[in-house]
Amino acid sequence: DTAVSQTPKYLVTQMGNDKSIKCEQNLGHDTMYWYKQDSKKFLKIMFSYNNKELIINETVPNRFSPKSPDKAHLNLHINSLELGDSAVYFCASSPDRGGNQPQHFGDGTRLSIL
Amino acid sequence: AQSVTQPDIHITVSEGASLELRCNYSYGATPYLFWYVQSPGQGLQLLLKYFSGDTLVQGIKGFEAEFKRSQSSFNLRKPSVHWSDAAEYFCAVARRNNFNKFYFGSGTKLNVKP
């Protein structure tokens, strides 16, 4: 069983479109995250939810909107996609929001904007 | 601001040789420290973590890391590298009195020569 699963694995779309990436974890964790990994492999946190409550919201364009329908799911919706949004997006989860909690990562969604 | 530095972008070692990957952080207090490994097309897998106590921590796959407070470093080591260790390695830190907000280094790509 995959602990943190993201869909789709690959997403190729045109500039200006709206797309969503889904994430589900079956670890029973309370906290989930979205990261963006750019072409230089640099990983930066975007959002974090704890029990459906937004707790981390980095400086991200408001075209990006996370949604957590329950604590096992954290989806990422992106409006009006731009070329600079091309990256690999990783979902992660941890048991709770304590700083000592290792995060468990999904395999990533590679987003390519044409 | 919190920062994590991995000075080596690429490292090549021969199979069977020893390995040390460097990680330095800037933060006033001792953070929580982690090392992750990312294989191509995969998410990040936790290798080991340091919270407190013994400064030499053991991880999976034969890896270990040593926390040195005086040098603000948390270098990853392995006595004998296997070809399957070829991957990208990321150091991460999280502040102790904050939400589980990870700051990642820029990664070190490890190549293993036969």
Side-chain angles (χ1 to χ4, degrees):
Chain A
D1 274 349
T2 304
V4 181
S5 59
Q6 301 177 222
T7 53
K9 193 170 175 68
Y10 300 96
L11 185 51
V12 182
T13 189
Q14 304 268 5
M15 211 163 48
N17 284 350
D18 304 337
K19 290 293 178 186
S20 291
I21 308 172
K22 295 186 176 182
C23 179
E24 176 181 4
Q25 53 95 4
N26 62 7
L27 297 167
H29 289 171
D30 283 350
T31 312
M32 295 184 72
Y33 312 81
W34 277 111
Y35 286 86
K36 179 180 180 181
Q37 186 176 47
D38 64 22
S39 57
K40 295 183 179 177
K41 299 282 189 171
F42 182 63
L43 261 168
K44 191 171 190 305
I45 189 162
M46 301 171 70
F47 302 103
S48 177
Y49 271 73
N50 184 68
N51 262 322
K52 303 193 296 175
E53 177 193 356
L54 182 66
I55 58 170
I56 295 175
N57 186 355
E58 290 295 283
T59 309
V60 176
N62 58 14
R63 298 182 294 104
F64 290 78
S65 52
K67 282 191 172 50
S68 182
D70 55 62
K71 73 175 192 178
H73 296 84
L74 180 61
N75 304 323
L76 183 65
H77 187 76
I78 315 170
N79 289 326
S80 303
L81 280 157
E82 299 177 357
L83 289 175
D85 298 332
S86 295
V88 183
Y89 292 85
F90 285 99
C91 178
S93 72
S94 63
D96 60 49
R97 64 187 198 181
N100 63 346
Q101 298 297 323
Q103 295 180 16
H104 300 253
F105 286 79
D107 286 344
T109 296
R110 184 174 295 276
L111 174 62
S112 299
I113 310 301
L114 303 177
Chain B
Q2 185 77 40
S3 75
V4 183
T5 303
Q6 292 181 244
D8 305 304
I9 299 174
H10 288 103
I11 282 186
T12 299
V13 300
S14 298
E15 191 166 15
S18 63
L19 171 71
E20 182 169 30
L21 303 182
R22 296 183 289 167
C23 174
N24 293 92
Y25 63 89
S26 64
Y27 179 51
T30 300
Y32 299 118
L33 296 155
F34 306 83
W35 273 101
Y36 281 83
V37 60
Q38 184 181 25
S39 298
Q42 305 273 316
L44 281 73
Q45 180 185 21
L46 179 70
L47 285 175
L48 46 77
K49 58 187 185 287
Y50 173 77
F51 297 155
S52 64
D54 192 346
T55 56
L56 185 63
V57 293
Q58 303 296 321
I60 62 171
K61 304 185 180 188
F63 285 92
E64 66 178 27
E66 185 172 13
F67 168 61
K68 292 187 177 179
R69 184 191 309 274
S70 61
Q71 298 176 18
S72 296
S73 69
F74 188 56
N75 294 348
L76 182 71
R77 301 195 294 245
K78 186 168 184 177
S80 177
V81 168
H82 188 261
W83 64 266
S84 60
D85 294 323
E88 190 105 24
Y89 291 81
F90 292 92
C91 179
V93 305
R95 291 164 60 182
R96 286 182 179 259
N97 297 315
N98 200 349
F99 297 142
N100 199 0
K101 187 172 170 180
F102 276 26
Y103 297 88
F104 281 89
S106 52
T108 297
K109 184 167 184 179
L110 173 66
N111 294 317
V112 180
K113 290 191 301 186

